[in-house]
Amino acid sequence: MTDPSRITLGVIADDFTGATDVASMLVRSGMRTVQVIGIPQGPTPAADAVVVALKSRTTAAADAVAASLAALRWLQDAGARQFYFKYCSTFDSTAAGNIGPVADALLDALGSDFAIACPAFPENGRTVFRGHLFVGDQLLSDSGMRNHPLTPMTDSNLVRVLQSQTRSAVGLLRYDTLARGVEAARSGIAALRADDVRLAIADAVSNDDLRVLAQACADLPLITAGSGVALGLPVVYAERGWLVPDQRAATLDSVGGSAAVISGSCSSATNAQVGDWVAAGRPAWQIDVQALAGGAPVAEQALAWAAVEGRQQPVLIYATAEPAQVQQVQSALGADRAGQLVEHCLARIAAGLVDGGVRRLVIAGGETSGAVVQALGVSSLRIGATIDPGVPWTQAEGRPLLLALKSGNFGSVDFFAKALDLVD
Ligand code: ADP
């Protein structure tokens, strides 16, 4: 039966915007969901699901395992009935892990002998067929992910990729088994277990496949997946009497105040979004990174401008630039120093805007979002309505402050204005 003092689902996410992505999926189907940044210190939030956002995707495998086990213990104490290890829909990992080692450690800690592994997210073009991951119409190894600076993905065969990271036997739960329905999927899992397979890559090319997977895994303590499989879980929990879906799960407070956008992402999607805002004649201020490096009081200048311009309408403050411009700055300052200078400056601006009465803030960029959330002293976010796939509005827990945290390549070209239109 439902028990308001315990959570139903505990999620361990290997990065910050990935955590928001899976949280958004759960809220959409009526689970009240809170995302916590790192392992929480305070009491258990009143929610059906808690997503612990770690930064464990590219750390040393031993560190990722230790952080994931600590998160698991906290979620067990909070009463979670099932656990979910969330990774990226492009299976981002290094040769050493961390998907395999973390999945092994969680299975050991839970005393379990089996979990699926399924990064598929068909709504965002990520599908798995016969164990091979596609990004749109391309195999993963032909997609841009092959050039990723930290986690280059050069093999699309996920059975092989995962097997190289784990001591467990890795198998495949194939699409034609899923197509025959939940009972067939359960039998497929039983057959894999009988063969001593401990982790099975699961095919999924549609939301129907994800729903079958969620049902077939209902009795397993652990699911490992991208955000897709989460789509099917609330129905499963409702059927078991563990959840009363809440039609208002995505409702956040009306916070009033003024609104602003901060952008530190230089991805092509964000460049287009900044261009769209500027072309519409909305107020925008570009950070001069060279002046910033030279010691100019750029944050103060931007805040003084926003104090005047922001009285009437939302403002955009951005460091976003085209690749050639970014490269020029990086070769003068070094990529790390440039990144940190800009992140620090944007985080100070965000704090200044909130001090000045901004209550609805859109932030573009994964690292930029991390820096801003830290500067604002936010450690817990309640998840609201989805703006675009993978990007919901969120509310700083217990505060009249709404934040939309957009990772670089997400969102339609009019994302900023669209996001601000959704909240008041
Ligand atoms: P994304 O989600 O698109 O990867 P991030 O915020 O994670 O965006 O990363 C963008 C990085 O680029 C940040 O470290 C940011 O500070 C840095 N940056 C932003 N604008 C500039 C610029 N004009 N020149 C150099 N670096 C920049």
Side-chain angles (χ1 to χ4, degrees):
M1 291 310 296
T2 56
D3 175 352
S5 67
R6 68 187 288 188
I7 64 172
T8 298
L9 177 67
V11 184
I12 299 161
D14 70 354
D15 90 335
F16 188 87
T17 40
T20 315
D21 178 8
V22 68
S24 162
M25 195 65 95
L26 295 166
V27 165
R28 186 167 122 176
S29 316
M31 287 187 94
R32 297 168 305 135
T33 305
V34 169
Q35 173 176 336
V36 292
I37 296 140
I39 292 147
Q41 308 299 323
T44 308
D48 302 311
V50 171
V51 181
V52 179
L54 300 177
K55 215 173 184 310
S56 55
R57 185 169 295 170
T58 55
T59 55
D63 295 340
V65 165
S68 304
L69 287 176
L72 175 71
R73 279 191 292 275
W74 187 90
L75 292 164
Q76 283 176 310
D77 287 345
R81 297 175 191 267
Q82 192 170 42
F83 302 89
Y84 193 109
F85 169 34
K86 155 71 172 75
Y87 38 75
C88 188
S89 63
T90 42
F91 217 65
D92 298 12
S93 44
T94 65
N98 292 328
I99 296 174
V102 170
D104 281 338
L106 294 174
L107 281 173
D108 289 346
L110 289 163
S112 180
D113 69 346
F114 183 82
I116 60 158
C118 181
F121 189 2
E123 282 175 20
N124 265 358
R126 275 64 159 156
T127 52
V128 183
F129 180 67
R130 289 179 174 259
H132 288 66
L133 178 56
F134 289 80
V135 178
D137 294 330
Q138 291 181 312
L139 280 165
L140 175 67
S141 51
D142 292 330
S143 76
M145 280 305 298
R146 71 183 187 281
N147 299 320
H148 192 282
L150 301 176
T151 53
M153 299 303 289
T154 55
D155 188 357
S156 312
N157 180 336
L158 297 187
V159 176
R160 199 160 50 202
V161 172
L162 186 55
Q163 190 63 81
S164 71
Q165 299 177 16
T166 171
R167 54 187 156 76
S168 300
V170 179
L172 174 63
L173 184 60
R174 227 172 50 188
Y175 74 100
D176 45 353
T177 304
L178 301 181
R180 286 187 283 116
V182 176
E183 281 315 314
R186 287 204 181 114
S187 305
I189 288 175
L192 288 163
R193 287 168 99 163
D195 282 345
D196 291 327
V197 166
R198 204 161 176 244
L199 288 168
I201 297 295
D203 280 351
V205 296
S206 67
N207 283 354
D208 283 342
D209 291 337
L210 296 173
R211 289 190 193 98
V212 168
L213 281 171
Q215 292 279 0
C217 292
D219 292 318
L220 296 170
L222 178 67
I223 291 170
T224 88
S227 62
V229 178
L231 174 104
L233 291 177
V235 170
V236 175
Y237 300 150
E239 281 170 6
R240 303 199 151 212
W242 295 351
L243 169 76
V244 179
D246 181 349
Q247 297 315 316
R248 293 176 45 81
T251 309
L252 303 177
D253 292 345
S254 285
V255 294
S258 49
V261 183
I262 287 190
S263 180
S265 157
C266 297
S267 74
S268 46
T270 309
N271 266 292
Q273 288 153 353
V274 168
D276 188 67
W277 178 281
V278 172
R282 298 170 189 271
W285 171 285
Q286 184 170 19
I287 301 290
D288 180 340
V289 183
Q290 298 287 11
L292 180 66
V298 172
E300 289 70 17
Q301 290 164 355
L303 284 168
W305 170 81
V308 178
E309 290 288 334
R311 268 188 222 133
Q312 304 301 333
Q313 52 179 329
V315 294
L316 163 67
I317 296 174
Y318 65 102
T320 303
E322 296 290 345
Q325 212 182 330
V326 174
Q327 239 163 28
Q328 211 180 351
V329 168
Q330 287 181 335
S331 51
L333 302 174
D336 278 357
R337 172 142 186 270
Q340 274 164 23
L341 261 179
V342 172
E343 281 168 39
H344 182 68
C345 175
L346 293 178
R348 280 186 56 203
I349 291 171
L353 290 173
V354 171
D355 283 346
V358 167
R359 295 289 172 264
R360 290 161 285 145
L361 192 56
V362 179
I363 302 144
E367 295 299 324
T368 308
S369 293
V372 167
V373 162
Q374 195 176 20
L376 294 175
V378 172
S379 60
S380 178
L381 297 165
R382 189 160 289 272
I383 308 298
T386 298
I387 306 161
D388 270 332
V391 200
W393 270 107
T394 72
Q395 179 172 4
E397 192 72 323
R399 284 167 63 179
L401 177 63
L402 301 183
L403 302 170
L405 310 170
K406 186 194 84 75
S407 80
N409 268 318
F410 280 3
S412 58
V413 70
D414 59 347
F415 179 86
F416 298 151
K418 176 163 62 172
L420 293 175
D421 277 348
L422 287 176
V423 292
D424 51 20

